[in-house]
Amino acid sequence: MYRRLSRQQSNQLEQRTLRVSLFVIIGLAIVGIGYGFYIGSEAVMLDGFYALTSLVGSGLYLLAARVVEKPADRRFQYGYAHIEPLVNSFNNLILLVVLFYALCNGLEGLRTGGNEVDTLSVVLYGLVSAVVCALVWIYEKRVANRTGSQLVRNDAREWMISLGFSLVTLLGFAMVWVLPEPYRGWWARYADSGVVALMALLLIPLPVKILHSNLREVLLITHPDNEIVQRVEAVMQQMRAEQDIVEYSSHIAKTGRIHFIEINIVVGPHFKPGSVPELDKLRARIWAGIGLPLEQAWLSILFTADPRWS
């Protein structure tokens, strides 16, 4: 078992992990584009160009990891948590464009008669690339589980996509060695374009799903089945059964690693707490029921006897 990390230690480990990812991506991008151009393989070049887009993404993740920990200031009075879903959305939008471009290139290659390349060269590249991607992916998954970092978790997901690229490339070209004639010659000619199109089709749903999730945070959309929404509802129903509460309303949104929670409570004439310390005890009870650490939420609870303020 890992020892529990402080918030500062988690952020330092998060930044260090993203820096490692950045340096590895630089190497893969250079090797993939250069080697793919040398052997004339679109599949290998696509792997390199994907690494190049990931380079931009990892750089933004690293920047976001530094910025989101800044305290609120006069310009950003609610802090910098919104930077995280913005970066995630931008990175996955870029990835989606790259995959659609790859799909179009692959289909065009199939239409125009394919492109025969040296099978052994592509298989060796795919093997080396798959090993590197798998190692970084496993490492980042462990760091994400230990720190709870969504930035590292998203970066790990991109390494998983890179691993998928490499494995599909490796297996797709290795089929040339096991297929009988005349299929072997046919596949040798169409493998490069076919693998590119297949990888794009298989991987397009992943950034679409992530983009949808992060855009919900950017637009401050909360699902009624959200766990925090359910916790707020449960604790408020319990309080309503014990206190003279006429009605209440809640506004909940998640942006990056921060939850913004506002609860407006309209009290009746027989509401018991009559002093600020007593109201604070009720606030503490609501907070305990929500169950979020203080650094992960922005909580505002209003008590009023006038429905206009709810």
Side-chain angles (χ1 to χ4, degrees):
M1 293 291 294
Y2 294 115
R3 67 180 177 87
R4 186 176 180 85
L5 298 175
S6 67
R7 184 178 180 183
Q8 183 179 9
Q9 289 173 325
S10 293
N11 187 250
Q12 289 174 347
L13 179 56
E14 178 184 56
Q15 292 186 41
R16 185 164 64 247
T17 301
L18 292 172
R19 279 195 295 268
V20 170
S21 173
L22 198 63
F23 291 138
V24 177
I25 286 173
I26 292 173
L28 279 183
I30 293 172
V31 172
I33 295 173
Y35 190 63
F37 182 77
Y38 175 72
I39 64 175
S41 171
E42 288 187 1
V44 174
M45 281 192 288
L46 173 61
D47 195 68
F49 278 116
Y50 172 74
L52 193 62
T53 61
S54 296
L55 174 62
V56 177
S58 291
L60 289 174
Y61 284 143
L62 180 58
L63 178 63
R66 292 176 176 175
V67 170
V68 294
E69 289 300 312
K70 288 184 176 182
D73 54 32
R74 292 183 62 186
R75 294 185 63 191
F76 294 95
Q77 297 186 9
Y78 287 95
Y80 291 81
H82 62 285
I83 299 295
E84 189 169 336
L86 282 173
V87 167
N88 291 336
S89 300
F90 179 74
N91 286 345
N92 283 279
L93 183 60
I94 291 178
L95 176 57
L96 198 58
V97 171
V98 170
L99 291 175
F100 273 118
Y101 178 76
L103 177 61
C104 293
N105 268 10
L107 294 176
E108 179 64 16
L110 293 174
R111 188 187 69 83
T112 56
N115 172 41
E116 189 166 354
V117 298
D118 180 54
T119 301
L120 179 60
S121 299
V122 179
V123 169
L124 288 175
Y125 172 82
L127 180 61
V128 173
S129 178
V131 170
V132 172
C133 293
L135 290 174
V136 179
W137 174 49
I138 293 170
Y139 170 65
E140 288 200 333
K141 276 190 66 179
R142 290 180 177 177
V143 172
N145 290 334
R146 189 179 181 191
T147 63
S149 169
Q150 190 61 41
L151 291 173
V152 175
R153 189 169 286 113
N154 287 339
D155 198 54
R157 191 178 288 114
E158 292 191 14
W159 279 106
M160 183 190 69
I161 294 176
S162 292
L163 175 61
F165 265 54
S166 301
L167 289 177
V168 172
T169 301
L170 189 156
L171 295 174
F173 278 85
M175 285 177 60
V176 173
W177 295 333
V178 298
L179 289 174
E181 291 292 358
Y183 304 108
R184 178 181 300 175
W186 177 85
W187 182 242
R189 189 169 66 254
Y190 286 100
D192 197 46
S193 299
V195 164
V196 169
L198 179 61
M199 285 194 296
L201 282 173
L202 290 175
L203 297 174
I204 280 175
L206 289 175
V208 169
K209 181 179 179 180
I210 301 169
L211 186 61
H212 174 264
S213 174
N214 282 279
L215 282 177
R216 289 181 66 90
E217 292 189 18
V218 171
L219 298 174
L220 301 180
I221 299 174
T222 301
H223 196 281
D225 293 331
N226 180 277
E227 182 182 359
I228 302 301
V229 175
Q230 295 298 320
R231 290 183 195 174
V232 170
E233 186 67 21
V235 71
M236 289 307 303
Q237 286 292 348
Q238 186 177 0
M239 285 190 58
R240 192 171 189 178
E242 300 172 3
Q243 302 287 343
D244 184 14
I245 295 177
V246 178
E247 62 180 25
Y248 67 88
S249 62
S250 61
H251 307 275
I252 303 169
K254 180 178 180 294
T255 302
R257 57 192 71 185
I258 301 295
H259 284 82
F260 292 90
I261 304 170
E262 178 185 293
I263 304 173
N264 301 314
I265 303 172
V266 180
V267 303
H270 303 294
F271 185 70
K272 293 180 181 179
S275 65
V276 172
E278 289 176 315
L279 291 176
D280 284 341
K281 287 182 180 179
L282 285 183
R283 289 189 177 94
R285 183 177 168 188
I286 295 172
W287 182 239
I290 295 172
L292 283 174
L294 284 173
E295 67 269 13
Q296 293 183 12
W298 190 293
L299 179 64
S300 175
I301 302 175
L302 169 70
F303 293 94
T304 179
D306 191 339
R308 289 181 303 171
W309 307 120
S310 65

